[in-house]
Amino acid sequence: MEDNNSLVYGLEFQARALASQQAESNDVRFFVATQSLKPNNQLHVVDLNEDSSALQSRIFSHPYGEVWRLAASAHDPRLLASCYSLLKGNGQVVMETALLTLPESLEPKDGEQQQEFLSFEHMETLATEGYGVEIRTTEFHPTDPNQLACVVDGKIVLFNRAEAATRVVAEINAKNVPKFTTGRWSHFHQGNHFIALHDCSIKSYDVRDSNHVVWSIDEAHSQLVRDLDCNPNKQCHIVTGGDDGVLKVWDFRNTKEHVFARSDHHHWIWSVRFNTYHDQLILSSGSDGKVLLTCAGSVSSEAPEVITGDGGEQGAGGEPREHLADGLLQTFDQHEDSVYGVEWSTADPWMFASLSYDGRMIISKVPKQYKYQILL
């Protein structure tokens, strides 16, 4: 796959749920699920053959409902969490979340024909009906394969699969107050902190103690905060994006002010992601139909003062090394609709996928000049 060429994968229906393979980092694999009102939704497992630059897909039937969010397990490459809505017999639309297990092999057995739609090996619905109506996300714990967190209305509900136990670790009790928007586990703090977005604010909860707010950033954005990601290489840094179109990096040891901000989007930001290996690279996507690659090198784990302690890092020829300047590096504008999801590949740190509502997933690469400037 050439650096300046993108690969386009089209789906039959509209879509907004995208996830990248987490548990194994050998193959470039993305999961994408459709959002159709008809009962024939699908989950596509899309692999990239880097030798031929061809995309290969396996399509699973997802008859449970229209998918709003997907998450891939960091422990089991075959396990996914799906948040979906379905129409009950009484005409009521309800949301559910389920764990979906892919078959051990996606290839047909000897003598069998390739089926158009494959079936999941196992499907386990999580019991969320007693906690609320609107399920925003289901997140796998970063270190404990048996633990999941589910954001339901104004609650964060913990599920322990090993003990078949559930408990509410956080709840917004006030009436007429907006519900949680989404949430993510922190990679650090022994996996005990869960960060949730609430209206314009960000709150981190210690899941060992009910409703224990560890830190809070009030009025983090001037409008609704829609997504966040935790820096995997720098313990106290998170990135957020919201309806004000601003991307912000925060050091939550100082909650009064962000450490980095860019307002290059012209509409709502729906998704933000740190690069897993080179965290100065941040992806964001929004309702303006664009995917932006931003450099926040001055506040990353690879910042000059972080690496050398004095800002005097040298390049290969003994010359002072030139770092990528902070700011917008590249605009990817191949989409024609709102881009609801963007995800880095865990197999190739320079590759990422983006998904727009019209069912178009595009796999792109970081341009060569930025890649070499980081590496050399």
Side-chain angles (χ1 to χ4, degrees):
M1 178 179 171
E2 294 296 323
D3 288 342
N4 54 355
N5 290 339
S6 297
L7 296 174
V8 180
Y9 181 81
L11 289 92
E12 186 180 350
F13 304 116
Q14 294 168 324
R16 63 193 298 159
L18 173 70
S20 64
Q21 176 87 72
Q22 297 295 317
E24 285 183 359
S25 56
N26 298 328
D27 301 315
V28 176
R29 170 175 285 184
F30 295 98
F31 306 100
V32 58
T34 63
Q35 193 178 44
S36 169
L37 292 172
K38 298 176 182 177
N40 52 355
N41 281 283
Q42 305 159 2
L43 186 146
H44 295 235
V45 181
V46 183
D47 292 317
L48 171 65
N49 183 322
E50 294 196 70
D51 295 328
S52 64
S53 294
L55 295 176
Q56 182 182 27
S57 68
R58 298 284 184 271
I59 305 174
F60 287 78
S61 175
H62 190 289
Y64 321 113
E66 49 178 325
V67 185
W68 290 83
R69 182 155 176 90
L70 273 180
S73 169
H75 313 284
D76 184 347
R78 297 163 54 204
L79 189 62
L80 298 165
S82 169
C83 300
Y84 54 90
S85 58
L86 68 158
L87 187 64
K88 292 286 189 180
N90 57 6
Q92 184 185 9
V93 177
V94 298
M95 288 198 77
E96 292 181 352
T97 185
L99 300 181
L100 309 173
T101 305
L102 302 176
E104 208 159 315
S105 173
L106 302 185
E107 301 299 327
K109 294 177 182 173
D110 292 340
E112 285 188 3
Q113 279 192 324
Q114 177 74 52
Q115 295 176 306
E116 184 182 4
F117 296 110
L118 303 176
S119 298
F120 298 109
E121 185 175 291
H122 184 66
M123 181 262 199
E124 175 191 344
T125 306
L126 299 181
T128 57
E129 62 274 3
Y131 299 104
V133 178
E134 206 164 331
I135 301 170
R136 293 297 192 174
T137 186
T138 298
E139 298 288 326
F140 291 96
H141 193 276
T143 57
D144 184 350
N146 291 310
Q147 195 160 220
L148 302 105
C150 190
V151 178
V152 190
D153 285 351
K155 298 184 181 75
I156 299 169
V157 185
L158 238 58
F159 291 87
N160 191 314
R161 298 173 73 206
E163 301 170 6
T166 61
R167 63 188 176 93
V168 176
V169 294
E171 183 173 3
I172 303 168
N173 293 311
K175 291 183 179 179
N176 304 318
V177 170
K179 304 164 185 174
F180 286 125
T181 311
T182 190
R184 287 177 83 86
W185 288 100
S186 169
H187 299 291
F188 302 98
H189 311 103
Q190 293 80 49
N192 291 319
H193 291 187
F194 189 85
I195 307 170
L197 302 181
H198 174 238
D199 196 20
C200 302
S201 305
I202 313 162
K203 296 180 188 296
S204 180
Y205 294 91
D206 190 325
V207 299
R208 295 168 295 184
D209 186 11
S210 182
N211 274 333
H212 176 195
V213 178
V214 184
W215 55 263
S216 174
I217 304 175
D218 297 321
E219 304 301 322
H221 287 255
S222 61
Q223 298 178 50
L224 181 73
V225 195
R226 290 205 174 264
D227 199 25
L228 84 151
D229 194 24
C230 300
N231 189 325
N233 307 322
K234 202 165 183 184
Q235 183 165 342
C236 299
H237 279 209
I238 62 170
V239 62
T240 57
D243 285 3
D244 55 5
V246 183
L247 176 148
K248 294 183 179 182
V249 177
W250 301 87
D251 183 334
F252 54 72
R253 292 170 297 185
N254 175 19
T255 58
K256 296 197 183 328
E257 181 129 23
H258 53 264
V259 294
F260 178 89
R262 294 287 303 184
S263 52
D264 300 302
H265 280 280
H266 302 303
H267 208 263
W268 302 348
I269 294 177
W270 280 92
S271 186
V272 287
R273 291 291 180 269
F274 278 110
N275 187 294
T276 312
Y277 302 96
H278 306 286
D279 54 273
Q280 66 266 57
L281 298 178
I282 303 173
L283 286 172
S284 59
S285 67
S287 303
D288 54 4
K290 291 180 172 54
V291 176
L292 303 185
L293 176 65
T294 301
C295 178
S298 62
V299 295
S300 73
S301 64
E302 298 186 16
E305 62 271 20
V306 174
I307 299 170
T308 66
D310 57 5
E313 190 183 359
Q314 293 185 333
E319 298 295 318
R321 180 174 169 182
E322 190 178 324
H323 287 268
L324 274 178
D326 283 0
L328 177 64
L329 296 180
Q330 189 89 2
T331 300
F332 299 86
D333 55 5
Q334 300 103 314
H335 288 285
E336 297 174 0
D337 208 336
S338 296
V339 187
Y340 284 125
V342 64
E343 296 286 348
W344 291 101
S345 164
T346 49
D348 184 338
W350 310 108
M351 195 173 293
F352 61 91
S354 53
L355 175 68
S356 53
Y357 190 56
D358 54 8
R360 176 187 287 192
M361 182 181 75
I362 299 179
I363 296 178
S364 309
K365 271 197 164 184
V366 174
K368 263 183 188 169
Q369 68 263 35
Y370 305 130
K371 173 181 173 180
Y372 293 149
Q373 211 167 332
I374 289 172
L375 292 177
L376 299 179

